[in-house]
Amino acid sequence: MPSGEPLSSIGIKVHVRIRPTAKPSPMFHIEDQTNTVLIDLLKQNGGGAPESFVDQIAFSVNSITQSTDQSEVYESCGRALVKDFLEGYNATFIAYGQVGSGKTYTMAGDMKVNAHRGFIARAIHQIFEEKEADPGSGIVLYISYLEIYQEGMYDLLNQRSKDLMIIEESGYVYIRGLAKIPVETEAQALMCFSEGEKQRSYACHQINQVSSRSHTIFTLCMEKRVGRFKTEYDTVVAKLNLVDLAGFERLKKTNTSTGGRMRVEACSINKSLCLLEQALYAIKQGQEYVPFRQSKISIILKEALSGNCRTELILCLWPEEYFLDETIKASRFAQRLKVLRTFSIHNKKIDCCVLNERRHAQEIANLQQELALKDALQGRPGLSFDDLTGEVKGKLRETIQDFLQNDGELERIPIDNQKQVRELFSLFKESQVSLRAKLEKVLSEHGLVEPIEEPQETESGVGELTNQGFHVGIAPPHARPHNPSASKPSPDEIHCSHLMLDYKEADPSNDVWETGSSFRNHKFQEYKHTTVMGKQQDSLIKSKQTELRTTKCHVKDLCEISNNLKQDIHNIKKILKEQHEEEFDSNAISRKADLYSRLKYLKVDFHKNYSQITFFKNVLQKLNQEIFVCKEGFLKSFYSWFETHCNHPNETSEEYLARMGQV
Ligand code: ADP
Ligand code: MG
């Protein structure tokens, strides 16, 4: 609901447009100076002699034009109202008159010829002219086009959809379901209008070859921003209704009395206009109940007739002798309307947030005044609520430095207001953070805290974890793990390495035995797979090798984590180094503190991870040794088995058994 100024009532304006005719009635006159339409009435003499003397009725209006120039008529009757709409006032412009008097010509005109364009096209042009002249206003427009045909409502911008309903809420009337088409350019708006026009109901009869058989309401809804600043503005909304009423007609004159569709249409039009007139009458009489709901057009025009709207009517007259009755009837309708008063509100929609902000600002100002008053009453110097200037901040910094470094006096630290106290806290925090950083540096220099090493870029991009030479990932060949036990083999190990048989390949090409290697290998496989001892030893070695592989994978994962942690530590250190020169403010301090705290946790994680790596590295070493010992034992036992069973390659089975018997 828009907020607005106090209500001020305004009258409905009536303009008269006279359709040019070759046979004007001598009974029809206009008085330009007083804007009066005068119609002579023949008064019957009581004695029966006809047309004995003449009476005259006068209708006073706001303006009269006989011009056929559409532009001239728009300038004198329409432009001001559209301007009001653009300023944020609801407006309605109604064309009324008998059939064929020029209502549709005035409102719609002929779109094909520029000079013949009617009010609607000209209003659209004026609106977009204004929009282009003031792009900052952010004018947004929506168009609706409604037709009321035989008391049915049709959406002309939505394929004559009938799914519409009139809703009345808090005194406002709107049509649920009616399309509201947003338009950004004049061309789009004109296109909308032309499309709607194509959907209208027309018929041809004796008086008008292209007679519109319905009431139409072309509505433009506008939203725009007003305000001094782009960030703080109010939204103004307004609605402009351009109404082309169907013309009332005498059935005889339009030759529609014989029946059929046109007769039904004519009756419906006449009835709805009659009901509209009844509503006007009720408003004029000040009746408590106004029968707006009797017809669609009256309820839809409710606001225009008695609500928040600036309303104007163009009364189209066709001053031929033949239509004198209709001219009088139409003029009487206009006269009734002219005495009605509506009210007009500047429809400003204030954004809730802006409203709250303004309210809070006011509340703060009031509270500050109250505090100042209290201080004054207690004889204290007044407080300043302004933000601290750079100069004041600089002085506070000096005071704090003096206090911390030179044993300054506590009393010298000023505590005047909240902003100052906050600033002091951030200065203390800044000092504490920088002290901690210095302390950590000193401790690490003296080896009291394990320093975090910067990651060293290698060819493959994998950093060396420690100087103890454990590498993972895609480390280059020269950076391969360095096994200290392998670097200095013991004499036993040397011996065993000679004896070593690969469990899978069993290819001891370097062995010292003199027997043929294929025979020995064959026997080794036999020992491994058939003897109880060989099977046991082989399975033990395999299980230890599996454990070794799993542990290696685990260590690899740990090293990857370690490298990531190291990278994170390196990044944070880099940021902290860059921020060193940054100008001090409380935000920067809290950012720095966050970084330091993150750095601390990363270091803890890194050290935990590092301990795990060391532990599992020892496990790996132990496993390697155990496997080595097992293999050694395996080979030794194979050796003795081989000596016993196989080292006589040429002996027969009897010789073997005999030898075994000797053994
Ligand atoms: P209404 O809508 O009132 O029934 P129209 O606007 O359709 O009547 O007018 C009927 C015809 O009269 C139109 O074709 C139009 O050319 C012509 N006409 C009406 N008023 C004027 C005018 N002021 N100047 C020129 N032609 C007019
Ligand atoms: Mg018409």
Side-chain angles (χ1 to χ4, degrees), residues 261-289:
R261 182 175 71 95
M262 297 242 283
R263 182 191 155 84
V264 178
E265 282 172 358
C267 288
S268 168
I269 294 166
N270 289 347
K271 188 180 166 193
S272 73
L273 291 171
C274 190
L275 293 172
L276 178 66
E277 215 164 336
Q278 271 184 24
L280 297 190
Y281 182 76
I283 304 169
K284 188 185 161 199
Q285 295 297 310
Q287 287 176 10
E288 209 170 303
Y289 173 73

PDB file of all heavy atoms in Angstrom, residues 261-289:
ATOM      1  N   ARG A 261     -26.885 -11.138 -33.367  1.00  0.00           N
ATOM      2  CA  ARG A 261     -25.777 -10.860 -32.450  1.00  0.00           C
ATOM      3  C   ARG A 261     -25.637  -9.370 -32.144  1.00  0.00           C
ATOM      4  O   ARG A 261     -25.461  -8.964 -30.992  1.00  0.00           O
ATOM      5  CB  ARG A 261     -24.478 -11.383 -33.076  1.00  0.00           C
ATOM      6  CG  ARG A 261     -23.247 -11.200 -32.221  1.00  0.00           C
ATOM      7  CD  ARG A 261     -22.053 -11.855 -32.878  1.00  0.00           C
ATOM      8  NE  ARG A 261     -21.617 -11.123 -34.062  1.00  0.00           N
ATOM      9  CZ  ARG A 261     -20.644 -10.202 -34.068  1.00  0.00           C
ATOM     10  NH1 ARG A 261     -20.013  -9.901 -32.959  1.00  0.00           N
ATOM     11  NH2 ARG A 261     -20.302  -9.597 -35.178  1.00  0.00           N
ATOM     12  N   MET A 262     -25.764  -8.534 -33.199  1.00  0.00           N
ATOM     13  CA  MET A 262     -25.544  -7.083 -33.020  1.00  0.00           C
ATOM     14  C   MET A 262     -26.572  -6.481 -32.066  1.00  0.00           C
ATOM     15  O   MET A 262     -26.275  -5.567 -31.317  1.00  0.00           O
ATOM     16  CB  MET A 262     -25.612  -6.402 -34.386  1.00  0.00           C
ATOM     17  CG  MET A 262     -24.518  -6.884 -35.306  1.00  0.00           C
ATOM     18  SD  MET A 262     -23.427  -5.608 -35.779  1.00  0.00           S
ATOM     19  CE  MET A 262     -24.387  -4.771 -36.989  1.00  0.00           C
ATOM     20  N   ARG A 263     -27.774  -7.008 -32.112  1.00  0.00           N
ATOM     21  CA  ARG A 263     -28.813  -6.488 -31.222  1.00  0.00           C
ATOM     22  C   ARG A 263     -28.451  -6.837 -29.772  1.00  0.00           C
ATOM     23  O   ARG A 263     -28.553  -5.997 -28.885  1.00  0.00           O
ATOM     24  CB  ARG A 263     -30.160  -7.101 -31.615  1.00  0.00           C
ATOM     25  CG  ARG A 263     -31.318  -6.585 -30.794  1.00  0.00           C
ATOM     26  CD  ARG A 263     -32.559  -7.444 -31.059  1.00  0.00           C
ATOM     27  NE  ARG A 263     -33.458  -7.381 -29.914  1.00  0.00           N
ATOM     28  CZ  ARG A 263     -34.350  -6.422 -29.724  1.00  0.00           C
ATOM     29  NH1 ARG A 263     -34.498  -5.476 -30.629  1.00  0.00           N
ATOM     30  NH2 ARG A 263     -35.111  -6.407 -28.645  1.00  0.00           N
ATOM     31  N   VAL A 264     -28.040  -8.098 -29.561  1.00  0.00           N
ATOM     32  CA  VAL A 264     -27.650  -8.524 -28.205  1.00  0.00           C
ATOM     33  C   VAL A 264     -26.496  -7.648 -27.709  1.00  0.00           C
ATOM     34  O   VAL A 264     -26.490  -7.174 -26.568  1.00  0.00           O
ATOM     35  CB  VAL A 264     -27.234 -10.017 -28.200  1.00  0.00           C
ATOM     36  CG1 VAL A 264     -26.778 -10.453 -26.819  1.00  0.00           C
ATOM     37  CG2 VAL A 264     -28.369 -10.883 -28.690  1.00  0.00           C
ATOM     38  N   GLU A 265     -25.527  -7.412 -28.611  1.00  0.00           N
ATOM     39  CA  GLU A 265     -24.364  -6.578 -28.246  1.00  0.00           C
ATOM     40  C   GLU A 265     -24.821  -5.178 -27.854  1.00  0.00           C
ATOM     41  O   GLU A 265     -24.435  -4.647 -26.813  1.00  0.00           O
ATOM     42  CB  GLU A 265     -23.410  -6.468 -29.446  1.00  0.00           C
ATOM     43  CG  GLU A 265     -22.549  -7.686 -29.674  1.00  0.00           C
ATOM     44  CD  GLU A 265     -21.761  -7.611 -30.983  1.00  0.00           C
ATOM     45  OE1 GLU A 265     -21.924  -6.619 -31.730  1.00  0.00           O
ATOM     46  OE2 GLU A 265     -21.006  -8.540 -31.258  1.00  0.00           O
ATOM     47  N   ALA A 266     -25.674  -4.603 -28.692  1.00  0.00           N
ATOM     48  CA  ALA A 266     -26.133  -3.236 -28.458  1.00  0.00           C
ATOM     49  C   ALA A 266     -26.872  -3.146 -27.128  1.00  0.00           C
ATOM     50  O   ALA A 266     -26.659  -2.211 -26.344  1.00  0.00           O
ATOM     51  CB  ALA A 266     -27.028  -2.795 -29.609  1.00  0.00           C
ATOM     52  N   CYS A 267     -27.719  -4.147 -26.852  1.00  0.00           N
ATOM     53  CA  CYS A 267     -28.478  -4.134 -25.595  1.00  0.00           C
ATOM     54  C   CYS A 267     -27.530  -4.203 -24.409  1.00  0.00           C
ATOM     55  O   CYS A 267     -27.706  -3.504 -23.404  1.00  0.00           O
ATOM     56  CB  CYS A 267     -29.449  -5.312 -25.549  1.00  0.00           C
ATOM     57  SG  CYS A 267     -30.808  -5.083 -26.674  1.00  0.00           S
ATOM     58  N   SER A 268     -26.517  -5.080 -24.542  1.00  0.00           N
ATOM     59  CA  SER A 268     -25.566  -5.251 -23.448  1.00  0.00           C
ATOM     60  C   SER A 268     -24.786  -3.952 -23.203  1.00  0.00           C
ATOM     61  O   SER A 268     -24.580  -3.544 -22.056  1.00  0.00           O
ATOM     62  CB  SER A 268     -24.625  -6.403 -23.797  1.00  0.00           C
ATOM     63  OG  SER A 268     -23.560  -6.414 -22.916  1.00  0.00           O
ATOM     64  N   ILE A 269     -24.380  -3.305 -24.298  1.00  0.00           N
ATOM     65  CA  ILE A 269     -23.621  -2.046 -24.161  1.00  0.00           C
ATOM     66  C   ILE A 269     -24.500  -0.989 -23.481  1.00  0.00           C
ATOM     67  O   ILE A 269     -24.093  -0.348 -22.507  1.00  0.00           O
ATOM     68  CB  ILE A 269     -23.149  -1.538 -25.545  1.00  0.00           C
ATOM     69  CG1 ILE A 269     -22.119  -2.498 -26.159  1.00  0.00           C
ATOM     70  CG2 ILE A 269     -22.561  -0.128 -25.443  1.00  0.00           C
ATOM     71  CD1 ILE A 269     -21.865  -2.258 -27.644  1.00  0.00           C
ATOM     72  N   ASN A 270     -25.697  -0.834 -23.989  1.00  0.00           N
ATOM     73  CA  ASN A 270     -26.596   0.183 -23.427  1.00  0.00           C
ATOM     74  C   ASN A 270     -26.870  -0.077 -21.952  1.00  0.00           C
ATOM     75  O   ASN A 270     -26.870   0.843 -21.134  1.00  0.00           O
ATOM     76  CB  ASN A 270     -27.919   0.206 -24.197  1.00  0.00           C
ATOM     77  CG  ASN A 270     -27.719   0.800 -25.583  1.00  0.00           C
ATOM     78  OD1 ASN A 270     -26.676   1.402 -25.860  1.00  0.00           O
ATOM     79  ND2 ASN A 270     -28.691   0.628 -26.459  1.00  0.00           N
ATOM     80  N   LYS A 271     -27.051  -1.376 -21.630  1.00  0.00           N
ATOM     81  CA  LYS A 271     -27.355  -1.730 -20.234  1.00  0.00           C
ATOM     82  C   LYS A 271     -26.175  -1.364 -19.330  1.00  0.00           C
ATOM     83  O   LYS A 271     -26.349  -0.753 -18.266  1.00  0.00           O
ATOM     84  CB  LYS A 271     -27.655  -3.229 -20.142  1.00  0.00           C
ATOM     85  CG  LYS A 271     -28.153  -3.635 -18.778  1.00  0.00           C
ATOM     86  CD  LYS A 271     -28.425  -5.122 -18.743  1.00  0.00           C
ATOM     87  CE  LYS A 271     -28.598  -5.583 -17.306  1.00  0.00           C
ATOM     88  NZ  LYS A 271     -28.549  -7.022 -17.188  1.00  0.00           N
ATOM     89  N   SER A 272     -24.965  -1.742 -19.751  1.00  0.00           N
ATOM     90  CA  SER A 272     -23.809  -1.491 -18.879  1.00  0.00           C
ATOM     91  C   SER A 272     -23.569   0.009 -18.700  1.00  0.00           C
ATOM     92  O   SER A 272     -23.203   0.464 -17.618  1.00  0.00           O
ATOM     93  CB  SER A 272     -22.568  -2.194 -19.409  1.00  0.00           C
ATOM     94  OG  SER A 272     -22.084  -1.547 -20.546  1.00  0.00           O
ATOM     95  N   LEU A 273     -23.844   0.796 -19.783  1.00  0.00           N
ATOM     96  CA  LEU A 273     -23.659   2.253 -19.654  1.00  0.00           C
ATOM     97  C   LEU A 273     -24.722   2.845 -18.737  1.00  0.00           C
ATOM     98  O   LEU A 273     -24.466   3.787 -17.976  1.00  0.00           O
ATOM     99  CB  LEU A 273     -23.705   2.911 -21.035  1.00  0.00           C
ATOM    100  CG  LEU A 273     -22.505   2.594 -21.929  1.00  0.00           C
ATOM    101  CD1 LEU A 273     -22.724   3.104 -23.346  1.00  0.00           C
ATOM    102  CD2 LEU A 273     -21.233   3.212 -21.358  1.00  0.00           C
ATOM    103  N   CYS A 274     -25.893   2.254 -18.795  1.00  0.00           N
ATOM    104  CA  CYS A 274     -26.986   2.705 -17.940  1.00  0.00           C
ATOM    105  C   CYS A 274     -26.648   2.438 -16.471  1.00  0.00           C
ATOM    106  O   CYS A 274     -26.857   3.285 -15.602  1.00  0.00           O
ATOM    107  CB  CYS A 274     -28.229   1.940 -18.378  1.00  0.00           C
ATOM    108  SG  CYS A 274     -29.693   2.558 -17.645  1.00  0.00           S
ATOM    109  N   LEU A 275     -26.079   1.234 -16.211  1.00  0.00           N
ATOM    110  CA  LEU A 275     -25.704   0.878 -14.837  1.00  0.00           C
ATOM    111  C   LEU A 275     -24.557   1.770 -14.345  1.00  0.00           C
ATOM    112  O   LEU A 275     -24.505   2.144 -13.178  1.00  0.00           O
ATOM    113  CB  LEU A 275     -25.299  -0.599 -14.765  1.00  0.00           C
ATOM    114  CG  LEU A 275     -26.444  -1.582 -15.020  1.00  0.00           C
ATOM    115  CD1 LEU A 275     -25.924  -3.003 -15.118  1.00  0.00           C
ATOM    116  CD2 LEU A 275     -27.489  -1.486 -13.908  1.00  0.00           C
ATOM    117  N   LEU A 276     -23.667   2.118 -15.294  1.00  0.00           N
ATOM    118  CA  LEU A 276     -22.575   3.022 -14.925  1.00  0.00           C
ATOM    119  C   LEU A 276     -23.160   4.380 -14.516  1.00  0.00           C
ATOM    120  O   LEU A 276     -22.731   4.985 -13.522  1.00  0.00           O
ATOM    121  CB  LEU A 276     -21.621   3.173 -16.121  1.00  0.00           C
ATOM    122  CG  LEU A 276     -20.447   4.121 -15.951  1.00  0.00           C
ATOM    123  CD1 LEU A 276     -19.483   3.605 -14.893  1.00  0.00           C
ATOM    124  CD2 LEU A 276     -19.668   4.273 -17.277  1.00  0.00           C
ATOM    125  N   GLU A 277     -24.139   4.807 -15.253  1.00  0.00           N
ATOM    126  CA  GLU A 277     -24.781   6.096 -14.956  1.00  0.00           C
ATOM    127  C   GLU A 277     -25.484   6.050 -13.593  1.00  0.00           C
ATOM    128  O   GLU A 277     -25.450   7.008 -12.834  1.00  0.00           O
ATOM    129  CB  GLU A 277     -25.774   6.423 -16.070  1.00  0.00           C
ATOM    130  CG  GLU A 277     -25.816   7.903 -16.347  1.00  0.00           C
ATOM    131  CD  GLU A 277     -26.476   8.235 -17.679  1.00  0.00           C
ATOM    132  OE1 GLU A 277     -26.486   7.373 -18.576  1.00  0.00           O
ATOM    133  OE2 GLU A 277     -26.974   9.359 -17.798  1.00  0.00           O
ATOM    134  N   GLN A 278     -26.057   4.875 -13.297  1.00  0.00           N
ATOM    135  CA  GLN A 278     -26.714   4.705 -11.984  1.00  0.00           C
ATOM    136  C   GLN A 278     -25.695   4.866 -10.864  1.00  0.00           C
ATOM    137  O   GLN A 278     -25.963   5.486  -9.841  1.00  0.00           O
ATOM    138  CB  GLN A 278     -27.328   3.311 -11.894  1.00  0.00           C
ATOM    139  CG  GLN A 278     -28.735   3.239 -12.418  1.00  0.00           C
ATOM    140  CD  GLN A 278     -29.322   1.841 -12.199  1.00  0.00           C
ATOM    141  OE1 GLN A 278     -28.896   1.095 -11.314  1.00  0.00           O
ATOM    142  NE2 GLN A 278     -30.302   1.503 -13.034  1.00  0.00           N
ATOM    143  N   ALA A 279     -24.522   4.268 -11.088  1.00  0.00           N
ATOM    144  CA  ALA A 279     -23.467   4.363 -10.068  1.00  0.00           C
ATOM    145  C   ALA A 279     -23.058   5.826  -9.883  1.00  0.00           C
ATOM    146  O   ALA A 279     -22.900   6.311  -8.757  1.00  0.00           O
ATOM    147  CB  ALA A 279     -22.267   3.521 -10.467  1.00  0.00           C
ATOM    148  N   LEU A 280     -22.943   6.555 -11.016  1.00  0.00           N
ATOM    149  CA  LEU A 280     -22.572   7.980 -10.931  1.00  0.00           C
ATOM    150  C   LEU A 280     -23.620   8.741 -10.125  1.00  0.00           C
ATOM    151  O   LEU A 280     -23.292   9.587  -9.288  1.00  0.00           O
ATOM    152  CB  LEU A 280     -22.496   8.605 -12.332  1.00  0.00           C
ATOM    153  CG  LEU A 280     -21.461   8.089 -13.319  1.00  0.00           C
ATOM    154  CD1 LEU A 280     -21.399   9.009 -14.535  1.00  0.00           C
ATOM    155  CD2 LEU A 280     -20.097   8.042 -12.674  1.00  0.00           C
ATOM    156  N   TYR A 281     -24.833   8.396 -10.395  1.00  0.00           N
ATOM    157  CA  TYR A 281     -25.936   9.086  -9.718  1.00  0.00           C
ATOM    158  C   TYR A 281     -25.858   8.851  -8.209  1.00  0.00           C
ATOM    159  O   TYR A 281     -25.991   9.768  -7.408  1.00  0.00           O
ATOM    160  CB  TYR A 281     -27.267   8.585 -10.296  1.00  0.00           C
ATOM    161  CG  TYR A 281     -28.455   9.269  -9.687  1.00  0.00           C
ATOM    162  CD1 TYR A 281     -28.797  10.579 -10.056  1.00  0.00           C
ATOM    163  CD2 TYR A 281     -29.228   8.621  -8.727  1.00  0.00           C
ATOM    164  CE1 TYR A 281     -29.883  11.217  -9.480  1.00  0.00           C
ATOM    165  CE2 TYR A 281     -30.315   9.252  -8.142  1.00  0.00           C
ATOM    166  CZ  TYR A 281     -30.634  10.548  -8.527  1.00  0.00           C
ATOM    167  OH  TYR A 281     -31.696  11.186  -7.935  1.00  0.00           O
ATOM    168  N   ALA A 282     -25.610   7.575  -7.853  1.00  0.00           N
ATOM    169  CA  ALA A 282     -25.536   7.220  -6.426  1.00  0.00           C
ATOM    170  C   ALA A 282     -24.377   7.952  -5.744  1.00  0.00           C
ATOM    171  O   ALA A 282     -24.502   8.430  -4.620  1.00  0.00           O
ATOM    172  CB  ALA A 282     -25.370   5.717  -6.273  1.00  0.00           C
ATOM    173  N   ILE A 283     -23.249   8.058  -6.461  1.00  0.00           N
ATOM    174  CA  ILE A 283     -22.093   8.775  -5.863  1.00  0.00           C
ATOM    175  C   ILE A 283     -22.474  10.245  -5.693  1.00  0.00           C
ATOM    176  O   ILE A 283     -22.236  10.854  -4.647  1.00  0.00           O
ATOM    177  CB  ILE A 283     -20.831   8.665  -6.751  1.00  0.00           C
ATOM    178  CG1 ILE A 283     -20.451   7.215  -7.031  1.00  0.00           C
ATOM    179  CG2 ILE A 283     -19.641   9.354  -6.086  1.00  0.00           C
ATOM    180  CD1 ILE A 283     -19.385   7.049  -8.120  1.00  0.00           C
ATOM    181  N   LYS A 284     -23.054  10.791  -6.731  1.00  0.00           N
ATOM    182  CA  LYS A 284     -23.412  12.219  -6.713  1.00  0.00           C
ATOM    183  C   LYS A 284     -24.380  12.520  -5.571  1.00  0.00           C
ATOM    184  O   LYS A 284     -24.259  13.531  -4.878  1.00  0.00           O
ATOM    185  CB  LYS A 284     -24.049  12.579  -8.058  1.00  0.00           C
ATOM    186  CG  LYS A 284     -24.274  14.058  -8.239  1.00  0.00           C
ATOM    187  CD  LYS A 284     -24.998  14.336  -9.516  1.00  0.00           C
ATOM    188  CE  LYS A 284     -25.617  15.728  -9.465  1.00  0.00           C
ATOM    189  NZ  LYS A 284     -26.674  15.876 -10.459  1.00  0.00           N
ATOM    190  N   GLN A 285     -25.310  11.590  -5.333  1.00  0.00           N
ATOM    191  CA  GLN A 285     -26.294  11.767  -4.264  1.00  0.00           C
ATOM    192  C   GLN A 285     -25.688  11.509  -2.885  1.00  0.00           C
ATOM    193  O   GLN A 285     -26.348  11.690  -1.877  1.00  0.00           O
ATOM    194  CB  GLN A 285     -27.466  10.806  -4.462  1.00  0.00           C
ATOM    195  CG  GLN A 285     -28.290  11.057  -5.707  1.00  0.00           C
ATOM    196  CD  GLN A 285     -28.969  12.414  -5.693  1.00  0.00           C
ATOM    197  OE1 GLN A 285     -29.633  12.803  -4.738  1.00  0.00           O
ATOM    198  NE2 GLN A 285     -28.752  13.191  -6.742  1.00  0.00           N
ATOM    199  N   GLY A 286     -24.488  11.026  -2.879  1.00  0.00           N
ATOM    200  CA  GLY A 286     -23.827  10.727  -1.598  1.00  0.00           C
ATOM    201  C   GLY A 286     -24.411   9.495  -0.932  1.00  0.00           C
ATOM    202  O   GLY A 286     -24.373   9.359   0.294  1.00  0.00           O
ATOM    203  N   GLN A 287     -24.978   8.607  -1.730  1.00  0.00           N
ATOM    204  CA  GLN A 287     -25.592   7.400  -1.150  1.00  0.00           C
ATOM    205  C   GLN A 287     -24.523   6.509  -0.516  1.00  0.00           C
ATOM    206  O   GLN A 287     -23.401   6.421  -1.031  1.00  0.00           O
ATOM    207  CB  GLN A 287     -26.321   6.614  -2.245  1.00  0.00           C
ATOM    208  CG  GLN A 287     -27.596   7.280  -2.703  1.00  0.00           C
ATOM    209  CD  GLN A 287     -28.244   6.532  -3.852  1.00  0.00           C
ATOM    210  OE1 GLN A 287     -27.858   5.424  -4.192  1.00  0.00           O
ATOM    211  NE2 GLN A 287     -29.252   7.150  -4.452  1.00  0.00           N
ATOM    212  N   GLU A 288     -24.963   5.868   0.568  1.00  0.00           N
ATOM    213  CA  GLU A 288     -24.003   5.021   1.275  1.00  0.00           C
ATOM    214  C   GLU A 288     -23.619   3.812   0.417  1.00  0.00           C
ATOM    215  O   GLU A 288     -22.460   3.412   0.356  1.00  0.00           O
ATOM    216  CB  GLU A 288     -24.630   4.541   2.582  1.00  0.00           C
ATOM    217  CG  GLU A 288     -23.600   4.286   3.649  1.00  0.00           C
ATOM    218  CD  GLU A 288     -24.261   4.051   4.976  1.00  0.00           C
ATOM    219  OE1 GLU A 288     -25.026   4.940   5.431  1.00  0.00           O
ATOM    220  OE2 GLU A 288     -24.027   2.972   5.519  1.00  0.00           O
ATOM    221  N   TYR A 289     -24.631   3.258  -0.247  1.00  0.00           N
ATOM    222  CA  TYR A 289     -24.356   2.103  -1.115  1.00  0.00           C
ATOM    223  C   TYR A 289     -24.342   2.546  -2.576  1.00  0.00           C
ATOM    224  O   TYR A 289     -25.322   3.095  -3.081  1.00  0.00           O
ATOM    225  CB  TYR A 289     -25.402   1.006  -0.903  1.00  0.00           C
ATOM    226  CG  TYR A 289     -25.238  -0.111  -1.907  1.00  0.00           C
ATOM    227  CD1 TYR A 289     -24.177  -1.011  -1.804  1.00  0.00           C
ATOM    228  CD2 TYR A 289     -26.124  -0.236  -2.982  1.00  0.00           C
ATOM    229  CE1 TYR A 289     -23.997  -2.013  -2.739  1.00  0.00           C
ATOM    230  CE2 TYR A 289     -25.951  -1.247  -3.926  1.00  0.00           C
ATOM    231  CZ  TYR A 289     -24.886  -2.130  -3.801  1.00  0.00           C
ATOM    232  OH  TYR A 289     -24.706  -3.115  -4.732  1.00  0.00           O
TER     233      TYR A 289
END
